[in-house]
Amino acid sequence: MAKTQWVSHLLNRGADDDPWAVSSASVTRGQLRSAVAEFEERFRNQGIGEGSSVLLRMTPSFTYIQVLLALWSRGAQVVLVDFRLKPAEYAPLVQQVRPQYLVAAADAGGPVAGFRQESDFAVQQLPDGRPAIDGIRLVQFSSGSSGRPKVIGRPADSVLAEIDRHAALPGIPGADDRMMLLNSVMHNMGLVSGVLHALASGATLIIPPTLRPAEVVPLMAATGTTAVYGTPVHYDLLSRVADRPPLPALRLAVSGGERVPQETYENFRARFGLPISPVYGLTEIGLIAGDLSGTSVPPQLGLPVPGTEVKVVDEELYVRMDRSPYLYGEHADRYRDGWLRTFDRVRQDPVTGVLSMLGRADSLAVIGGLKVDLTEVENVLLAHERVTEAVVTHQEVIEAFVGADPAVGADELTVWCRERLSPVKIPKRFHITRLLPRNSMGKLIRDRALMHGRRVLSESPSRAQGDR
């Protein structure tokens, strides 16, 4: 497929009057194609074409999606940067990728204002920009939840292959479905599983203008939503809506990004009469595993999807890839001999092949010659009725960052852990706040230095510090 034809391959699906997306207003596929063509001409006049590198930083909107498709239609390599990043987070990323052009909304960097129909933007040519890396069309950054974000590049074939993997997943939304997307369109699940899959399959995309649950649920009813895509945080909030209208068309709830807590799974199923179906993937390659049948329960992830090749070595997942996804020669230790090391610990059922998430490989700490799985400590803390979030790290000692009821103290959590864990596993320090910090993707930050740097945690040293 020609370098720019992969976009028209998606854009030309369906008739002009077929619905494409709904937010505060509806957009047809014909209107989408017209908008993309107009932006493509604008970018042509500004010198953007095959081999150009462009950093895109705009607020979530239909304009954002149309601009991205137009840039790809011009043959540009597009670097996606979350508009919510602070200057101290954003500037190093720009310096790292050195784009030739910056396409940014005038209000990028402002507060979250929901999803918009339209968004103004400006194009700026940057001095000393670095041209596109041959073949790379999409550049993203890893979540950065465990440290410095990784620069990930994907060619068009990689994105199209992921769309094909979606199409092969039983139960995936199709032409008769109305998909509500709660994930950010700036990140992989929202962009590929949501926007691009809907384009390819003919499904109608529904993007709420606001993520306030009390407004999202009525919109689900009004639009006849058949499938909803989100993260565990979204499903937890939806489960709290008091007055829920009937949703007779809703058949599917898909979650990705991180493991669904058991409580969230049970609460959503009780309120909506529907299980949360897991999908698992990486920014580096996209969708890897999933189960939309409703039979998988946390921590199960489902089967590897058709088109992927995986192996489990010492309870760690590896994925076959043709090339390293990391740009500029970084992270060579993560890709070797055609296999990407995910650092995710999984178990694969020897009979069914179903994958189950165990935690992160880098969540294992060696303390006094003994291996301690920090995920186990997190799970014990999460079992406390007044604890809602937990991140456990280890450097000199085990530290627990806990989101909990303000009345919960370190002494109480120490006693709780003593009753359920051996002494070597008990955190020596607790940092307790009502909510833990998350990154722009909604994932809990797991890097100890970053957690301390947020300065939002009130430290509560545990009396267990004298135990060792």
Side-chain angles (χ1 to χ4, degrees):
M1 186 177 294
K3 292 183 177 181
T4 58
Q5 285 182 349
W6 72 284
V7 185
S8 59
H9 174 71
L10 298 173
L11 275 173
N12 292 334
R13 303 286 181 90
D16 281 350
D17 57 355
D18 284 348
W20 167 57
V22 178
S23 186
S24 54
S26 299
V27 180
T28 67
R29 290 188 171 241
Q31 290 171 325
L32 169 65
R33 287 190 276 262
S34 295
V36 170
E38 290 178 11
F39 288 136
E40 187 179 352
E41 184 62 25
R42 175 174 171 177
F43 295 139
R44 184 197 312 274
N45 294 335
Q46 290 169 315
I48 296 175
E50 182 68 41
S52 298
S53 60
V54 181
L55 187 145
L56 178 59
R57 186 175 185 237
M58 292 175 60
T59 48
S61 60
F62 285 140
T63 305
Y64 172 88
I65 298 172
Q66 293 156 357
V67 164
L68 173 59
L69 294 171
L71 288 169
W72 277 339
S73 296
R74 290 292 304 140
Q77 171 185 286
V78 185
V79 183
L80 302 185
V81 173
D82 197 312
F83 79 102
R84 292 167 292 190
L85 295 182
K86 303 298 182 183
E89 299 171 301
Y90 166 66
L93 301 182
V94 178
Q95 188 65 29
Q96 195 172 5
V97 298
R98 288 171 43 206
Q100 294 174 318
Y101 294 87
L102 173 64
V103 176
D107 52 358
V112 178
F115 189 86
R116 306 174 183 179
Q117 291 286 122
E118 298 180 354
S119 176
D120 291 332
F121 66 92
V123 180
Q124 177 185 359
Q125 188 167 3
L126 302 177
D128 303 320
R130 180 162 44 190
I133 297 173
D134 186 44
I136 300 299
R137 289 292 174 261
L138 173 62
V139 178
Q140 297 168 286
F141 298 92
S142 67
S143 64
S145 59
S146 57
R148 180 188 177 192
K150 300 178 287 292
V151 186
I152 296 164
R154 299 181 66 183
D157 287 349
S158 171
V159 178
L160 291 175
E162 182 183 359
I163 294 171
D164 288 342
R165 294 198 298 273
H166 278 85
L169 189 60
I172 199 77
D176 296 328
D177 280 292
R178 292 167 296 284
M179 293 173 51
M180 175 168 285
L181 184 64
L182 305 179
N183 306 83
S184 170
V185 296
M186 292 175 285
H187 299 298
N188 200 71
M189 186 171 175
L191 177 59
V192 183
S193 301
V195 174
L196 299 185
H197 169 71
L199 267 179
S201 67
T204 300
L205 195 63
I206 301 165
I207 307 180
T210 171
L211 289 179
R212 287 189 287 269
E215 297 180 39
V216 169
V217 176
L219 182 62
M220 292 168 65
T223 56
T225 293
T226 60
V228 58
Y229 278 59
T231 67
V233 171
H234 294 130
Y235 291 112
D236 178 60
L237 293 173
L238 290 177
S239 300
R240 300 171 188 265
V241 175
D243 299 318
R244 182 181 67 77
L247 299 167
L250 186 63
R251 67 171 184 85
L252 183 64
V254 182
S255 180
E258 58 186 341
R259 185 167 63 181
V260 179
Q262 188 67 37
E263 183 181 8
T264 299
Y265 179 89
E266 292 173 355
N267 288 345
F268 183 84
R269 186 163 194 167
R271 292 286 295 130
F272 287 80
L274 193 69
I276 298 174
S277 296
V279 291
Y280 165 78
L282 303 172
T283 304
E284 287 87 338
I285 190 173
L287 181 67
I288 295 171
D291 178 12
L292 307 186
S293 70
T295 58
S296 292
V297 298
Q300 292 177 328
L301 302 171
L303 290 167
V305 296
T308 60
E309 183 181 353
V310 304
K311 67 179 181 179
V312 179
V313 179
D314 295 329
E315 292 191 336
E316 188 174 343
L317 184 69
Y318 289 75
V319 182
R320 171 74 74 180
M321 295 187 69
D322 293 334
R323 58 185 287 180
S324 172
Y326 304 113
L327 303 187
Y328 316 127
E330 295 185 338
H331 307 289
D333 61 316
R334 301 178 71 99
Y335 178 83
R336 184 171 299 170
D337 299 328
W339 290 96
L340 176 72
R341 184 182 182 188
T342 69
F343 284 84
D344 283 327
R345 293 177 53 239
V346 303
R347 180 178 294 115
Q348 187 167 29
D349 187 289
V351 177
T352 66
V354 169
L355 299 172
S356 295
M357 179 63 72
L358 300 177
R360 291 284 296 171
D362 42 16
S363 70
L364 288 175
V366 179
I367 302 171
L370 300 175
K371 287 185 178 180
V372 175
D373 185 351
L374 303 180
T375 304
E376 179 188 0
V377 184
E378 291 179 0
N379 289 335
V380 166
L381 289 167
L382 289 169
H384 190 290
E385 63 179 2
R386 291 189 292 172
V387 171
T388 57
E389 302 172 319
V391 171
V392 177
T393 66
H394 175 263
Q395 195 161 334
E396 294 87 1
V397 297
I398 294 179
E399 292 184 85
F401 300 84
V402 181
D405 185 301
V408 175
D411 289 349
E412 179 179 347
L413 293 179
T414 298
V415 171
W416 176 266
C417 290
R418 277 177 176 163
E419 294 173 348
R420 294 161 177 82
L421 294 169
S422 59
V424 72
K425 300 177 183 179
I426 299 172
K428 297 300 187 185
R429 299 180 189 138
F430 287 92
H431 309 269
I432 303 171
T433 185
R434 183 177 289 276
L435 294 173
L436 295 182
R438 292 176 177 267
N439 61 23
S440 61
M441 294 176 66
K443 292 184 180 180
L444 288 170
I445 290 175
R446 310 194 71 84
D447 181 79
R448 176 180 174 276
L450 291 177
M451 296 283 279
H452 280 290
R454 290 297 175 114
R455 298 183 183 276
V456 297
L457 302 168
S458 58
E459 183 169 350
S460 301
S462 166
R463 289 184 180 175
Q465 289 186 43
D467 290 351
R468 290 189 200 154

